[in-house]
Amino acid sequence: DYYHETFKQSPEALEYLRSRGLEHPELIAHFKLGFANRTLGYRLPEKNRKAGAELRGKLQEIGILRDSGHEHFNGSLVVPIRDENGLITEVYGRKILGNKLRKGTAQHLYLPGPHEGVWNVDAFKASKEIILCEALIDAMTFWVHGFRNVTASYGTSGFTASHCRAPHFHRTFRQIIDHTI
């Protein structure tokens, strides 16, 4: 929720979406797109207080904060990936500064550990045909153009057990895999 509120006040995040053809209020609201701008730590209780130490420890445990205390997704468009119960199971981050990043900085980030969950799980409930994209940004492009029956893997090697289970669980009969974008 904090990143979603930060996004609404970040012209650079909105400009990134605009540059990708993704400036769509329904996309932003439905998927609770966010922006990490290094301000989360200022909003948390101080680490030298019990509540602050506990909360920061939990955020480090799940990977939102690194061991150094810095935000893992700093400078990134943040996309929470929710399960069927609305719980966040994964977070995708896309650096928006492009060529202003240090050499070797990853453009795409996820929480540490194995990937869990499927982006846009509602598509499996609503359609018997699913478009599967390699990248989440590509899937969002389909979504804003009216193809709401779309999901994405976690990159080229990111088709997970969650992706395998979803079509069977929701009785999806046909998957269209996009290799062109």
Side-chain angles (χ1 to χ4, degrees):
D1 287 341
Y2 179 76
Y3 286 148
H4 184 59
E5 289 304 315
T6 302
F7 176 89
K8 293 176 187 178
Q9 300 167 14
S10 301
E12 62 270 30
L14 191 56
E15 178 55 36
Y16 174 76
L17 287 186
R18 187 179 298 118
S19 76
R20 299 297 301 254
L22 297 172
E23 183 188 12
H24 192 288
E26 190 180 355
L27 175 79
I28 295 165
H30 183 75
F31 293 105
K32 305 231 6 161
L33 302 185
F35 181 61
N37 65 354
R38 270 184 36 187
T39 60
L40 178 62
Y42 300 122
R43 305 294 297 185
L44 300 173
E46 293 295 324
K47 60 185 169 188
N48 63 356
R49 303 283 187 250
K50 182 179 179 186
E54 287 178 7
L55 182 55
R56 290 167 189 269
K58 288 178 184 178
L59 291 172
Q60 285 177 336
E61 187 178 310
I62 60 174
I64 297 294
L65 294 179
R66 295 184 175 160
D67 290 340
S68 65
H70 294 99
E71 291 178 63
H72 178 64
F73 294 104
N74 182 42
S76 299
L77 173 72
V78 177
V79 183
I81 299 171
R82 299 174 185 275
D83 67 12
E84 294 179 0
N85 299 314
L87 298 174
I88 297 173
T89 58
E90 178 67 81
V91 178
Y92 167 73
R94 173 63 162 91
K95 295 286 188 182
I96 66 168
L97 298 176
N99 60 1
K100 296 178 184 176
L101 297 171
R102 286 186 309 225
K103 186 175 181 172
T105 300
Q107 295 277 336
H108 306 273
L109 302 169
Y110 295 96
L111 291 175
H115 300 305
E116 185 61 40
V118 177
W119 179 80
N120 193 20
V121 72
D122 292 339
F124 290 89
K125 298 174 189 175
S127 180
K128 297 296 180 194
E129 183 174 274
I130 298 297
I131 301 168
L132 174 64
C133 296
E134 171 191 334
L136 201 97
I137 297 291
D138 297 336
M140 289 193 293
T141 302
F142 275 96
W143 197 92
V144 299
H145 287 91
F147 297 94
R148 303 294 167 94
N149 58 324
V150 63
T151 192
S153 65
Y154 298 106
T156 55
S157 301
F159 192 79
T160 67
S162 296
H163 291 103
C164 288
R165 286 190 304 269
H168 297 291
F169 183 79
H170 295 288
R171 300 180 184 263
T172 304
F173 297 108
R174 183 171 173 214
Q175 295 181 29
I176 302 167
I177 300 176
D178 169 44
H179 294 287
T180 60
I181 292 184

